[in-house]
Amino acid sequence: MSVTAMPPGSTAQHEAAERRLAARTLLACPVLTSHRQPDELALVRRHSAALRSTFAKLLNYHLVVETSFARLVKTPPSPDSPLRPVQRGDSPPFTPQTYALFSLACASLLTPGTGEWLLISSLVEQVRADAVSAGVALRDTPSENRRLVQAVGLLIDWGVLTETDGSLSAWSERREEGVLQIHRPLLPHVLPRPLRNLASLADLAARLPSGAAEPRRSLRRRLVENPLVKREDLPEDERDVLSRERSELTRLLEEHFGLTLEVRAEGALAYDTEGTLSDVAYPGPGTVRQAALLLTDALTDLARPSAGHHAPEGAADVPGLLTPWDMVSSELGGLVSRYSKAWAGAYIADPARLQKEVVALLESMSLARSLPEGLVLHPAAARYRPEPHAQQPSAAKMRLADKPQEGAGAPPSGALFTDSLFREAL
């Protein structure tokens, strides 16, 4: 991420735009270092006082800003938030064991007597020893070694460690020794809360200060961090804030984070018109993203749900369309046959793998939910329905389009639920 030029305007407008850009930068990348992001860090340091106040008052986040780094300490997501594990490049997502190894690596680096530089092999040996003491299973197998490399690699990505002689990849592939430099001032802030005696995300959330449960701030956090806030997931106090204080909520999100709030009967979304805050590109390139987009379109066309359609989920109803798993597999199989020449061969040869990853992507975006009976598509999935390619309009049609038409009432660009079947305002 790079700092873009500020728009022209008054000094006050310029300062506000800089603060908004700095806040967006921290939300997207909560760890900034002078070595890896010098321009971004300089911008955050310039507005550090205002940013600390903004994050504390609006989201209950703690911002640490020093000469060589900035660290935005977020509160844990709500237990109903979609699972979004860390993923480095094309590597598999972090597993619970990878997170445990990451924590052990931080603890190893904090061991008294550890200097500013250390060998990669020494760090690995210390993590293995600490894993035994902590009761974490860590065998010397290729798969578990890859998880250990992922954990240490994230510390390099965040600037906590710097490869000064050799590299982690060379050690991983050929056991070639390397030297790592520790960013000592940043290290204590990587894991700001002790993780011992915690068994779940709910346990961690329960240990937060009492102010973290304040409904206005918890609702703002949901809107800033989650791709979609489902109405049925909101507790009563947050639902009341959304209904009564929507104008103020809209203003705060736009003013401080550049997000546009959209509220519908089924949920709410604070969307980013610039498309730079999300770590998941959807829609986007690649077989899984394309298959997910086309599958949701095909399932919606197949069922043709009515407005306000609900899918049963146990004793409660939730907005959405329930599609049996055999229908999901059948429709995805048809897409695989149709696009066999355009999609990745590994997925064409293994449709079950493609279905698993498509469902995982839709769930990570809060657009779908897996049930034993089938897949529930949330009404917000209609927002992404592909439009058929149209021919370039003639000059005469373009002139006509510029004139206001009587009775025109198309939904605004970026509307949450653009499909008329699901359009139902609160």
Side-chain angles (χ1 to χ4, degrees):
M1 179 180 292
S2 60
V3 176
T4 56
M6 291 293 104
S10 67
T11 301
Q13 290 174 327
H14 180 82
E15 292 287 308
E18 280 197 343
R19 288 194 298 271
R20 185 163 51 245
L21 177 58
R24 288 167 58 87
T25 300
L26 285 166
L27 286 174
C29 186
V31 180
L32 303 174
T33 66
S34 56
H35 176 68
R36 300 179 68 87
Q37 302 102 344
D39 295 337
E40 289 85 345
L41 179 60
L43 184 65
V44 168
R45 292 188 63 204
R46 192 178 310 145
H47 298 281
S48 59
L51 290 169
R52 287 193 190 98
S53 176
T54 294
F55 281 116
K57 290 180 179 178
L58 297 186
L59 305 177
N60 198 36
Y61 288 174
H62 177 56
L63 177 61
V64 181
V65 181
E66 301 291 348
T67 304
S68 59
F69 75 92
R71 170 73 164 111
L72 180 63
V73 181
K74 301 182 179 184
T75 60
S78 56
D80 56 86
S81 298
L83 294 176
R84 297 285 290 277
V86 172
Q87 186 166 5
R88 300 182 60 242
D90 296 329
S91 300
F94 270 37
T95 65
Q97 188 198 38
T98 317
Y99 281 112
L101 295 175
F102 178 81
S103 301
L104 288 172
C106 292
S108 298
L109 295 171
L110 287 167
T111 301
T114 303
E116 298 301 312
W117 288 270
L118 79 165
L119 298 175
I120 295 177
S121 59
S122 299
L123 175 59
V124 170
E125 289 173 6
Q126 185 64 51
V127 170
R128 290 188 183 281
D130 292 344
V132 173
S133 302
V136 176
L138 180 57
R139 296 169 296 175
D140 190 8
T141 64
S143 61
E144 299 204 6
N145 285 334
R146 281 193 294 269
R147 292 192 187 99
L148 179 54
V149 168
Q150 278 186 285
V152 176
L154 182 59
L155 290 171
I156 294 174
D157 294 344
W158 283 2
V160 180
L161 296 175
T162 302
E163 298 164 311
T164 61
D165 185 12
S167 68
L168 183 63
S169 60
W171 181 89
S172 172
E173 295 167 6
R174 300 178 296 275
R175 290 298 186 270
E176 292 182 4
E177 191 59 272
V179 178
L180 300 172
Q181 183 179 9
I182 304 173
H183 192 314
R184 187 63 62 184
L186 171 59
L187 181 58
H189 300 282
V190 175
L191 296 178
R193 299 179 187 89
L195 302 180
R196 65 178 69 91
N197 301 324
L198 292 177
S200 68
L201 180 61
D203 291 343
L204 182 57
R207 299 193 182 189
L208 295 176
S210 57
E214 201 277 330
R216 290 181 179 84
R217 286 193 289 194
S218 57
L219 177 60
R220 293 183 202 121
R221 286 199 300 272
R222 289 179 190 266
L223 290 166
V224 168
E225 300 290 356
N226 293 354
L228 170 70
V229 174
K230 300 176 183 178
R231 185 173 177 82
E232 68 268 20
D233 291 338
L234 289 177
E236 189 60 39
D237 53 1
E238 293 183 26
R239 204 175 304 164
D240 185 63
V241 172
L242 183 62
S243 299
R244 294 175 179 271
E245 303 179 21
R246 192 190 309 179
S247 296
E248 177 66 4
L249 189 57
T250 300
R251 182 189 69 81
L252 289 173
L253 293 175
E254 194 286 325
E255 177 182 332
H256 294 284
F257 308 115
L259 297 172
T260 301
L261 179 65
E262 186 174 333
V263 182
R264 301 288 173 170
E266 301 87 354
L269 171 72
Y271 66 89
D272 173 29
T273 55
E274 296 182 19
T276 58
L277 274 185
S278 177
D279 57 342
V280 177
Y282 183 79
T287 298
V288 175
R289 294 184 180 91
Q290 292 174 11
L293 184 67
L294 293 172
L295 178 64
T296 55
D297 185 51
L299 295 179
T300 303
D301 276 342
L302 193 64
R304 302 310 299 166
S306 58
H309 188 88
H310 277 56
E313 185 189 16
D317 285 346
V318 295
L321 169 67
L322 175 62
T323 307
W325 286 116
D326 58 351
M327 187 181 296
V328 173
S329 300
S330 175
E331 289 300 312
L332 189 58
L335 293 171
V336 166
S337 299
R338 183 176 178 183
Y339 296 100
S340 59
K341 294 183 179 179
W343 288 355
Y347 293 112
I348 301 301
D350 190 356
R353 174 190 170 190
L354 177 60
Q355 178 173 315
K356 180 180 179 181
E357 295 191 23
V358 163
V359 170
L361 172 62
L362 292 173
E363 287 185 319
S364 75
M365 298 292 292
S366 296
L367 298 177
R369 180 177 307 191
S370 294
L371 298 178
E373 308 94 310
L375 184 69
V376 177
L377 285 180
H378 192 273
R383 183 179 195 269
Y384 301 97
R385 296 195 69 185
E387 296 181 358
H389 178 72
Q391 291 184 346
Q392 182 70 22
S394 64
K397 285 185 177 180
M398 291 177 69
R399 285 196 298 271
L400 249 144
D402 289 336
K403 298 180 180 179
Q405 302 294 312
E406 185 178 352
S413 174
L416 179 55
F417 308 137
T418 56
D419 188 282
S420 60
L421 297 173
F422 289 126
R423 197 178 303 138
E424 183 181 343
L426 269 174

